[in-house]
Amino acid sequence: MSSKARKKPEELRSHRWYGADDLRSFGHRSRAKQMGYAKEDWAGKPVIAILNTWSDINPCHSHFRVRAEEVKRGIWQAGGFPVEMPAISLSEPFQKPTTMLYRNLLAMEAEELLRSYPADGVVLMGGCDKTTPGLIMGALSMNIPAVFMPAGPMLRGYWNGTVLGSGSDSWKYWAELRAGNITQEDWEGVEDGIARTPGTCMTMGTAPTMMCAAEALGLTLPGAASIPAADSNHARMATACGRRIVDMVWEDLKPSDIVTEKAVENAITTVVAMGGSTNAVVHLVAMARRAGVNLNLDTFDAISRRTPFLANIRPSGKYIMEDFHYAGGIRALLAELGDLLHRDCMTANGRALGDNLEGARIVNDDVIRPQVNALSKEGGLAILRGSLAPDGAVIKHSAADPKFWKHTGPAVVFKDYNDMARRIDDVNLNVTADSVLVLQSAGPKGGPGIPEWGMLPIPQKLLKEGVRDMVRISDARMSGTSYGTCVLHVAPESHVGGPLAFVQDGDLIELDVAERKLNLLVPEAEMAKRKAAWTPPKEHYQRGYGAIFQNHITQADKGCDFDILEAGEPTPEPEIH
């Protein structure tokens, strides 16, 4: 348990609002009574904020209305005073142009909600892709006791006796429909069966990846990250989060005590062992920098090279998250990683990570592989560098056709997404299976918001020839549920004059995953000529949040955070007058 002395009631942050003998505190107390609360409900008790990202338009969080009440039950049980506060939901399926445009808005909102209201601790309710990093980034900056309550994955999908996995099978059957191999009726059957319960994607998409990363960081209760949303254990976990956060406040166990450099390394190790989403690279860099850990891309590559790939989960493997949980879940995976983890790291329950893994075991060793029978000797992500990506790029090679791990081919360039959409299925497009598809203007500023466009579709004429993978390169992201030889997050992006901006049709591009190379094979003199002729594109926004975004967003290798949020003097506590 934490070695800190327990706080006294008058040391609670909320005491400044409720405990003083002045006119303002009179107002706070009388307004609490207006809502039906009595002095006995809050006096001398920690006020626990519940940041709930429930929304009618977020299917991943459709169970959060109920879960919030279950969290409150635990807070009441432990002697706390729960206060539920809504936060922007960031619904991955619906929000446009991309939820990544708004991740930092959620981080700002979380931080400022906690600062401006009388919160002593917080339960962070998230899971849908950007809600996990957004909430945690805000909590790290505010740095009051916090526990993350993950949404959990949905149950498996079904169609005609076939198990469906969210995202992964959407891309798969869309390609088959475009190739003419399935009917419209088949396609509608997939649509009806692929998402059947509350919860996040149940393949190894960004949502499960980041929930498991949050557990490896130490910010959840043990085993919380892999529980399916529809499982009654999930409801009990929510109540346990409510109970635990009250003690975390008394112990003064804060995110800064948990999210250390070693904890960040644990999260990276977990992500690569799971074949996790490439999006984790951007998010973990941003989260680490909020915690004062200067994480760079080379750390990901070094850890991936020494970490075996153990989780046999789509899109890199065979199973889905429901299978993963019942095969032992996240605790079994972490236990199997053994000394590859820093087992002495503090976690939200006040115990070391290694202590939380006692008794964990693998129940199905095809779903969670032992190290001696790993799917691969190294993790699922690789960091590439070279003349096309001086500041780095990312590839999930565990989900790529190995024949493309070393490949040189001519570029077919699309200047932006609309250009790609117009021409990709043109029968006259000069493209072969050896071509390298290149998408420009899809990065943090160019997208805007570095949207998930990186899994460029295979041209229809190649689909009809049986082609299902080819090398694709962009400054975009892609869904963690996607697959294929997709090089992502090329930095600097094309919009700011990175080398990607100067690629032309027919240029040879070299990809070598083993050597971690990504090179544009164009003479320096020619590149200089192209750069001199380049005109910077017009910015997307002239006002509002979009203008703030484009003026302060960092590049992908820096986490796509706002420069004004990751640095500077700490924000003082608000004065109460």
Side-chain angles (χ1 to χ4, degrees):
M1 301 293 289
S2 173
S3 60
K4 294 181 180 180
R6 289 177 69 87
K7 278 189 172 181
K8 299 175 182 178
E10 59 270 21
E11 295 174 322
L12 293 172
R13 188 173 176 271
S14 60
H15 184 77
R16 298 173 59 225
W17 275 263
Y18 291 105
D21 186 16
D22 58 22
L23 178 60
R24 286 292 172 229
S25 290
F26 166 86
H28 303 148
R29 293 189 296 267
S30 65
R31 292 301 188 176
K33 291 178 178 180
Q34 177 187 6
M35 293 183 283
Y37 295 113
K39 182 178 180 181
E40 292 77 11
D41 289 325
W42 74 75
K45 297 178 179 180
V47 176
I48 306 299
I50 304 169
L51 295 194
N52 188 356
T53 51
W54 174 88
S55 168
D56 262 336
I57 203 163
N58 192 335
C60 305
H61 295 178
S62 58
H63 54 316
F64 271 12
R65 267 185 170 176
V66 176
R67 292 292 179 270
E69 297 305 313
E70 290 155 348
V71 171
K72 290 178 187 177
R73 183 170 67 206
I75 294 169
W76 287 119
Q77 288 172 357
F81 181 49
V83 178
E84 182 182 353
M85 292 188 274
I88 188 172
S89 197
L90 306 188
S91 174
E92 194 68 26
F94 288 100
Q95 192 166 34
K96 308 301 177 189
T98 169
T99 52
M100 190 62 180
L101 187 67
Y102 301 104
R103 182 201 67 181
N104 297 344
L105 181 60
L106 173 59
M108 292 175 68
E109 182 181 24
E111 179 181 348
E112 298 305 330
L113 280 172
L114 297 176
R115 178 174 291 110
S116 59
Y117 285 109
D120 297 303
V122 59
V123 177
L124 307 166
M125 296 180 60
C128 187
D129 290 18
K130 311 307 176 294
T131 58
T132 299
L135 288 168
I136 291 174
M137 288 161 66
L140 284 165
S141 293
M142 182 56 196
N143 200 33
I144 62 173
V147 64
F148 182 70
M149 194 221 81
M154 70 177 96
L155 301 183
R156 71 188 69 221
Y158 279 114
W159 168 66
N160 280 3
T162 300
V163 172
L164 297 176
S166 48
S168 302
D169 282 313
S170 301
W171 321 128
K172 172 184 173 181
Y173 287 106
W174 176 243
E176 297 307 321
L177 181 70
R178 292 172 63 228
N181 294 333
I182 64 171
T183 66
Q184 183 65 30
E185 184 179 7
D186 292 332
W187 177 240
E188 291 173 3
V190 172
E191 179 180 316
D192 289 343
I194 200 165
R196 305 183 299 114
T197 72
T200 71
C201 291
M202 80 301 256
T203 49
M204 190 52 68
T206 304
T209 299
M210 293 311 300
M211 290 187 289
C212 290
E215 177 149 346
L217 279 172
L219 293 172
T220 76
L221 296 184
S226 61
I227 304 172
D231 191 312
S232 62
N233 285 286
H234 195 271
R236 290 193 288 273
M237 179 269 293
T239 300
C241 287
R243 286 194 297 267
R244 176 56 193 155
I245 189 60
V246 176
D247 278 340
M248 290 178 72
V249 171
W250 292 124
E251 296 164 12
D252 198 27
L253 180 58
K254 302 188 294 292
S256 59
D257 302 313
I258 295 171
V259 183
T260 62
E261 183 174 356
K262 287 183 176 181
V264 171
E265 290 179 358
N266 285 344
I268 297 171
T269 300
T270 302
V271 166
V272 297
M274 299 180 75
S277 169
T278 50
N279 287 306
V281 178
V282 173
H283 296 321
L284 284 172
V285 169
M287 292 157 66
R289 290 165 74 96
R290 290 292 187 102
V293 177
N294 189 19
L295 178 61
N296 62 59
L297 300 187
D298 293 336
T299 303
F300 284 88
D301 202 68
I303 291 176
S304 188
R305 284 185 182 273
R306 69 175 183 243
T307 304
F309 173 31
L310 303 180
N312 193 7
I313 310 297
R314 302 181 193 182
S316 298
K318 176 181 177 182
Y319 298 97
I320 46 92
M321 286 299 294
E322 185 181 351
D323 302 313
F324 176 75
H325 182 69
Y326 299 127
I330 184 62
R331 288 180 66 243
L333 179 91
L334 295 175
E336 182 59 26
L337 287 169
D339 292 339
L340 291 170
L341 297 174
H342 302 288
R343 298 167 67 85
D344 59 341
C345 287
M346 176 63 71
T347 69
N349 71 346
R351 304 178 69 202
L353 177 65
D355 294 338
N356 290 338
L357 301 180
E358 292 177 2
R361 64 188 182 91
I362 297 172
V363 178
N364 184 329
D365 63 6
D366 191 39
V367 178
I368 303 174
R369 296 288 186 89
Q371 289 197 44
V372 295
N373 188 32
L375 292 157
S376 172
K377 291 182 179 180
E378 66 174 40
L381 300 180
I383 303 300
L384 309 172
R385 293 185 187 274
S387 61
L388 189 53
D391 293 337
V394 181
I395 185 171
K396 187 176 182 177
H397 57 295
S398 62
D401 190 328
K403 74 180 183 181
F404 290 117
W405 290 2
K406 185 177 177 64
H407 180 79
T408 299
V412 177
V413 182
F414 302 101
K415 66 180 182 180
D416 55 33
Y417 186 89
N418 290 328
D419 181 41
M420 182 275 295
R422 281 192 298 268
R423 297 195 293 125
I424 193 70
D425 288 338
D426 188 338
V427 294
N428 296 315
L429 184 68
N430 186 16
V431 64
T432 71
D434 291 327
S435 298
V436 176
L437 303 183
V438 174
L439 176 64
Q440 300 168 330
S441 301
K445 289 190 174 186
I450 190 168
E452 291 183 344
W453 297 341
M455 187 185 172
L456 279 71
I458 306 296
Q460 189 175 46
K461 68 179 183 180
L462 297 182
L463 284 174
K464 291 180 177 180
E465 295 172 8
V467 175
R468 292 296 181 270
D469 195 10
M470 57 193 303
V471 178
R472 289 157 276 181
I473 299 173
S474 71
D475 44 14
R477 297 177 300 113
M478 79 173 183
S479 168
T481 66
S482 299
Y483 52 87
T485 311
C486 300
V487 177
L488 311 157
H489 314 176
V490 170
E493 65 173 310
S494 59
H495 189 87
V496 300
L500 190 69
F502 313 124
V503 183
Q504 297 182 2
D505 285 343
D507 289 346
L508 290 179
I509 295 177
E510 174 194 34
L511 168 65
D512 191 329
V513 174
E515 296 296 324
R516 303 306 200 244
K517 291 180 180 179
L518 183 66
N519 288 313
L520 178 61
L521 305 181
V522 173
E524 290 185 12
E526 173 62 19
M527 287 295 289
K529 180 180 176 182
R530 294 179 187 181
K531 189 170 185 178
W534 181 72
T535 301
K538 182 181 177 181
E539 298 291 5
H540 290 274
Y541 299 107
Q542 302 302 316
R543 62 166 302 280
Y545 174 74
I548 295 172
F549 183 95
Q550 68 193 17
N551 290 336
H552 293 286
I553 194 70
T554 61
Q555 287 292 293
D557 62 303
K558 300 296 191 296
C560 294
D561 199 358
F562 288 168
D563 53 15
I564 55 173
L565 294 179
E566 68 176 20
E569 292 296 318
T571 303
E573 285 281 359
E575 295 183 9
I576 300 176
H577 296 303

